Every structure is written in C-alpha cells, then in structure tokens.
C-alpha cells in the first residue's frame, strides 16, 4: 500500500488500540526476546506511532525507528521525546520497496509483513531484512496465525494476507536466518531469528494468553 494510504490510516490516532492489554502483552513478549547485551545498533520497521518504540528505546542505545507514514513517524518522535528517549532517531522508510539504510545488530519488524501481497514480494522483503543484519545479529518479529494457512488451530481469518507460517517460511528461505526462539500463543507467534550459519537449538515457549481484545 502507498504512503498516502498509510497517512490516511493514521489520520485517526491509535488506529489499532496499541495500549490495549492484548497489544501490551505482545509488546512485553517481543521485548523479552531482544538480547539484553545492548545491541549496538537497532532499527524498528513499521514503528507506527511509537508505542513499542518507547519501550524498545530503553534497551537499545542506538535506535532508528521508521515507518512508511510520515504522520506516524512524527507522532512516534513526539512520544519518545515525551518519554525522555532523545537518543532515538526517526525516518520515513518504505522497506517493502527500498533497502534498509545500513547494517544492524537488531531488527524489529512486527505486524506488517502481512501486506506483501505475493510470495515473490514477501521473499524479496525477507531478503532485504536478512542481508542488513550483521553476522550474529537478530531479528525479532511478531505476526498473527492465519487460519487459511493453519486450519487445524485457532487464529485470525483476515483473508488474502500472509500469516506467520508463510512469513516464517520466507525468512528461513533466505538461507541467512535461523529461528532461535519462538513464543507461541493462541493467535500469534513472537520469534527471534539469528543471522548465523551455525545450527541452533530452537527454544519454543507456549503461552495461553493470546486472545484478541
């Protein structure tokens, strides 16, 4: 979708109720998978209005928060300034169609890869993300379970979007990433990938809380 489309989405503040218990619990789980050895340089893709950015800023010294919508970016910047996180940088970025601006030890990318449209495009985006991680860098991501992909379990039926199964397949297909940790809830999965050629033992954690608000 275009910049104009997303600016229109953010004409109304907080369009997805980021401060709901459901979203806040997901943020806590996502933050739990961020390595605690202070990643040197991190980027958040699709930061929206910065609700999670303000939490991520506390554990990343050099953080760039980006979104396709300048309206969202401006609100995120104001939110972080109000929280005292003056070290966070902000920029408008359409990473579906442009390379990431440099190499990063940490990439956070959640609730956005649904919109890729085609598997070919999803693969391109996954490659863009994977190849901008430093060796041993990590990607932390959270996406819904789409029932059209996993009919044997609970999930959302959003129709025509990619769920976490297809997103996982695309990320692993890059050949650059290995899935290191996965928190599996009823309706979504939170995951940490590492850019490494060494085999990893996957840590899978199951949590009951995962219902929609």
């Amino acid at each position: 979708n275009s910049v104009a489309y997303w600016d229109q989405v953010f004409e109304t503040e907080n369009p997805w109720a980021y401060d709901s218990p459901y979203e806040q619990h997901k943020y806590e789980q996502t933050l739990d998978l961020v390595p605690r050895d202070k990643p040197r340089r991190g980027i958040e893709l699709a930061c929206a209005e910065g609700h999670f950015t303000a939490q991520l800023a506390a554990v990343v010294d050099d953080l760039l928060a980006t979104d396709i919508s300048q309206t969202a970016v401006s609100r995120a910047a104001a939110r972080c300034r109000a929280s005292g996180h003056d070290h966070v940088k902000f920029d408008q970025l359409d990473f579906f169609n442009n390379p990431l601006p440099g190499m990063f030890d940490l990439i956070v990318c959640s609730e956005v890869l649904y919109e890729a449209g085609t598997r070919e495009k999803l693969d391109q985006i996954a490659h863009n993300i994977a190849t901008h991680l430093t060796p041993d860098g990590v990607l932390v991501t959270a996406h819904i379970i789409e029932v059209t992909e996993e009919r044997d379990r609970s999930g959302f039926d959003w129709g025509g979007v990619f769920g976490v199964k297809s997103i996982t397949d695309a990320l692993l297909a890059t050949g650059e990433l290995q899935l290191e940790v996965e928190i599996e809830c009823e309706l979504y999965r939170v995951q940490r990938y590492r850019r490494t050629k060494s085999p990893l033992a996957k840590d899978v954690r199951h949590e009951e809380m995962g219902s929609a608000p």
Side-chain angles (χ1 to χ4, degrees):
N1 289 321
S2 67
V3 173
Y5 169 84
W6 288 109
D7 277 337
Q8 185 176 25
V9 168
F10 285 105
E11 282 182 359
T12 302
E13 290 192 41
N14 201 7
W16 288 289
Y18 304 111
D19 49 0
S20 69
Y22 170 77
E23 293 297 339
Q24 286 301 314
H25 184 62
K26 197 187 306 176
Y27 289 164
E28 291 168 5
Q29 292 171 316
T30 304
L31 198 62
D32 187 50
L33 295 194
V34 174
R36 283 300 181 264
D37 52 353
K38 282 269 188 179
R40 291 184 296 279
R41 188 169 190 232
I43 185 171
E44 183 184 7
L45 305 175
C47 70
E49 295 173 331
H51 290 74
F52 181 68
T53 313
Q55 299 176 46
L56 184 62
V59 297
V60 182
D61 289 331
D62 184 357
L63 178 61
L64 173 63
T66 67
D67 198 276
I68 190 174
S69 166
Q70 184 59 56
T71 301
V73 168
S74 297
R75 289 200 190 121
R79 184 178 304 279
C80 283
R81 283 196 300 269
S83 302
H85 297 303
D86 298 326
H87 65 288
V88 183
K89 304 177 185 68
F90 294 87
D91 201 3
Q92 182 179 13
L93 174 66
D94 174 9
F95 74 94
F96 276 28
N97 297 297
N98 295 280
L100 271 56
M103 300 296 292
F104 299 90
D105 305 300
L106 169 70
I107 297 175
V108 177
C109 176
S110 293
E111 309 285 6
V112 64
L113 298 181
Y114 314 124
E115 307 289 342
T118 67
R119 179 55 195 260
E120 181 181 11
K121 187 65 174 179
L122 181 60
D123 288 342
Q124 291 173 2
I125 296 165
H127 180 77
N128 186 18
I129 292 171
T131 55
H132 284 88
L133 273 174
T134 58
D136 208 40
V138 299
L139 164 68
V140 179
T141 182
H143 286 92
I144 62 142
I145 294 164
E146 168 59 49
V147 295
T148 58
E149 296 179 349
E150 302 182 63
R151 295 190 179 278
D152 60 340
R153 56 162 304 149
S154 300
F156 290 97
D157 186 2
W158 285 358
V161 304
F162 291 112
V164 68
K165 184 180 185 301
S166 291
I167 292 167
T168 300
D169 290 345
L171 291 168
L172 294 176
T174 64
E176 300 288 343
L177 300 172
Q178 293 195 40
L179 181 56
E180 186 174 41
V181 184
E182 179 173 85
I183 300 173
E184 182 168 352
C185 298
E186 182 183 0
L187 300 176
Y188 60 86
R189 297 188 185 102
V190 186
Q191 301 172 319
R192 183 172 74 212
Y193 295 83
R194 189 172 295 273
R195 188 174 187 187
T196 178
K197 300 298 184 182
S198 302
L200 296 173
K202 186 172 73 171
D203 175 11
V204 180
R205 309 170 192 174
H206 296 275
E207 295 200 13
E208 293 301 321
M209 183 174 178
S211 300

